Structure formats: structure tokens, C-alpha cells
């Protein structure tokens, strides 16, 4: 079965420190990869996506992610976090290509920024 | 700007009540989805629809039904609400399946349902 694993349910980080949120997916011929962010009591919004080409993808709010096909990973990074980055982060994969049956989501990582 | 609108942000219902959650999108998307979100479980797909009057079961359809009478509107129905259906419900939409579609989902703000 297709799956997405986010290894950390919570990641506490001090403000202005770097952070990495990990995501691994089960292997497939081709995938599209996404990171979504959810601020408290809101829906999900797209942070960044990998479709093809360069394996380093830049998104909004200073986040970036690197696609590693051999390790089937798509880890999210930010060099210096702010209090406003406190949120739930979801990694997602499109296995069907056309997206007819939606995305497969990880269980989420709660990023907690400590002052 | 693209928009998915869920009619109710917060609802409180009693066990056994019938509950309607409405979702409208203005992007002319063919695909629409209902997910529920619970702490530690992430997002789980309840139902989806790829066309008017069409519906497909997702991973957890039990206790739910859906209606898609118009392209822009997708409703989630709880025929007889139970306490274990207390959750955050998220509606999403995407373009029709094609080589140009990556599967990217556009989400509404969510509807937080409490069943007492």
C-alpha cells in the first residue's frame, strides 16, 4: 500500500535556529510531492511542491525541500525559524499522477517554536 | 484568487442528529474531496467525487454519505451523528485528471464538528 511517513510528531526548536522536518514515502515509478502547512484553526495551504527537474524546491516563507529519489525522501528545511512558523506541517504524495483520488498524507509534524 | 468555502466553521450537534457540511469551490474544478483530520492520525479521505453525481468511497466512508448535484458544490452528510464523528472536516478540490494535473489540492478553512 502507498504510504507517507513523517517520523516526528512534534519538533521543538528555538527561535532563529534551523529546522528539518522529515518525510519518507513508499516507492513508486513516479510521484509528485507536496508540503502543506496548517496554522491553528485553519485549512491547509501549499508550502511547496516537487513535480520534476531540480531536486531542491523553494517555497513560501523561506522553506525549501529536497527530493531524494534513492532514499525516497522529501525533507523540509528552514535555516532560521520564527515564532510565526508554529504550525502543523503535512507531507503529501500524489501517486496517481492525475490526482483523481487525491493525495496520500503523512500524519503531520507539529513544529513548536520556543522563544 | 482561488477559493474553497466551507459553510460552517464550527458546529455542535447532538447524537443521532443529521448533519450537513457544505463546500463550494469557484475554480471550476472537477474533483472534490472530503477529509477528516484527527490528532495523531493526519488526514483521512472519506469520499471524493470526480464529476457531478459521481462519488467514490475513500478510506473511511462508514457513517457518511455525500452529494454532488452541481459541479461547484460537494456536501458531506452524517445521517445519524455519533460522538466518534467529532472531528475537523476539510473539503478540497483539484483539477480533472490529466497529464497536466499534479494532484495539488486546494483546501477550505475546515469545519470543526462536535457531537455531544
Amino acid at each position: 500500500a502507498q504510504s507517507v511517513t513523517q517520523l516526528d510528531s512534534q519538533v521543538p526548536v528555538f527561535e532563529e535556529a534551523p529546522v528539518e522536518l522529515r518525510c519518507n514515502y513508499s516507492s513508486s515509478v513516479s510521484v509528485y510531492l507536496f508540503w502543506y502547512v496548517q496554522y491553528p484553526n485553519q485549512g491547509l495551504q501549499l508550502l511547496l511542491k516537487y513535480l520534476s527537474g531540480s531536486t531542491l524546491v523553494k517555497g513560501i516563507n523561506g522553506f525549501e525541500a529536497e527530493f531524494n529519489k534513492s532514499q525516497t525522501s522529501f525533507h523540509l528545511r528552514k535555516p532560521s525559524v520564527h515564532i510565526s512558523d508554529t504550525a502543523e506541517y503535512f507531507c503529501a504524495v500524489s501517486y496517481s499522477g492525475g490526482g483523481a483520488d487525491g493525495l496520500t498524507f503523512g500524519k503531520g509534524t507539529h513544529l513548536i517554536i520556543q522563544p | 484568487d482561488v477559493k474553497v468555502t466551507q459553510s460552517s466553521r464550527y458546529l455542535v450537534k447532538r447524537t443521532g442528529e443529521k448533519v450537513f457540511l457544505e463546500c463550494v469551490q469557484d475554480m471550476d474544478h472537477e474533483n472534490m474531496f472530503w477529509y477528516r483530520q484527527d490528532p495523531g492520525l493526519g488526514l483521512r479521505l472519506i469520499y471524493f467525487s470526480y464529476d457531478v453525481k459521481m462519488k467514490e468511497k475513500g478510506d473511511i466512508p462508514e457513517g457518511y454519505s455525500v452529494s454532488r448535484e452541481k459541479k461547484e458544490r460537494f456536501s458531506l452528510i452524517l445521517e445519524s451523528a455519533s460522538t466518534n464523528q467529532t472531528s475537523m472536516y476539510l473539503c478540497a478540490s483539484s483539477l480533472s485528471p490529466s497529464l497536466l494535473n499534479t494532484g495539488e489540492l486546494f483546501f477550505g478553512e475546515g469545519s470543526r464538528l462536535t457531537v455531544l
Side-chain angles (χ1 to χ4, degrees):
Chain A
Q2 301 154 351
S3 65
V4 179
T5 302
Q6 291 183 245
L7 293 166
D8 305 301
S9 59
Q10 283 193 58
V11 174
V13 182
F14 286 107
E15 197 172 13
E16 298 183 8
V19 69
E20 178 180 83
L21 306 183
R22 296 179 292 171
C23 173
N24 289 87
Y25 61 94
S26 55
S27 181
S28 181
V29 176
S30 63
V31 295
Y32 297 130
L33 295 154
F34 306 83
W35 276 98
Y36 283 85
V37 60
Q38 184 182 35
Y39 298 106
N41 296 314
Q42 294 187 24
L44 276 69
Q45 62 182 83
L46 184 68
L47 204 53
L48 50 78
K49 59 186 175 186
Y50 170 79
L51 307 179
S52 65
S54 172
T55 57
L56 184 63
V57 179
K58 294 191 183 298
I60 61 172
N61 300 339
F63 283 93
E64 62 182 33
E66 184 151 22
F67 170 57
N68 187 320
K69 188 174 181 179
S70 63
Q71 305 215 351
T72 60
S73 68
F74 190 54
H75 299 333
L76 181 70
R77 302 187 186 102
K78 186 169 182 178
S80 176
V81 296
H82 302 285
I83 288 287
S84 59
D85 292 323
T86 297
E88 191 87 17
Y89 292 81
F90 292 93
C91 181
V93 179
S94 170
Y95 285 99
S96 63
D101 54 356
L103 302 179
T104 300
F105 285 87
K107 293 186 177 181
T109 298
H110 188 195
L111 179 60
I112 302 167
I113 310 300
Q114 301 168 328
Chain B
D1 197 14
V2 297
K3 200 161 181 67
V4 178
T5 303
Q6 294 183 231
S7 56
S8 303
R9 292 295 309 276
Y10 301 94
L11 302 96
V12 179
K13 298 292 181 181
R14 298 208 174 272
T15 301
E17 279 192 85
K18 191 169 185 176
V19 181
F20 291 88
L21 299 179
E22 306 283 340
C23 175
V24 177
Q25 51 95 4
D26 64 0
M27 297 168 281
D28 201 34
H29 283 171
E30 276 74 14
N31 300 335
M32 296 189 74
F33 306 83
W34 276 105
Y35 288 87
R36 70 176 277 177
Q37 181 184 9
D38 300 287
L41 298 178
L43 278 71
R44 294 180 291 168
L45 183 62
I46 305 172
Y47 267 97
F48 63 100
S49 168
Y50 53 86
D51 201 354
V52 175
K53 297 192 184 294
M54 304 300 289
K55 61 183 179 183
E56 296 286 341
K57 291 180 180 179
D59 299 318
I60 53 163
E62 297 78 19
Y64 303 94
S65 62
V66 290
S67 172
R68 186 128 182 241
E69 296 296 319
K70 293 184 178 181
K71 187 177 184 181
E72 67 271 17
R73 188 179 297 271
F74 193 37
S75 302
L76 180 69
I77 304 156
L78 287 67
E79 292 290 343
S80 177
S82 63
T83 54
N84 62 13
Q85 292 178 309
T86 292
S87 187
M88 169 74 103
Y89 290 88
L90 293 165
C91 176
S93 70
S94 71
L95 287 168
S96 64
S98 73
L99 290 177
L100 298 177
N101 181 22
T102 65
E104 178 181 348
L105 293 178
F106 297 84
F107 284 88
E109 295 270 295
S111 298
R112 186 168 293 282
L113 172 67
T114 301
V115 182
L116 302 176

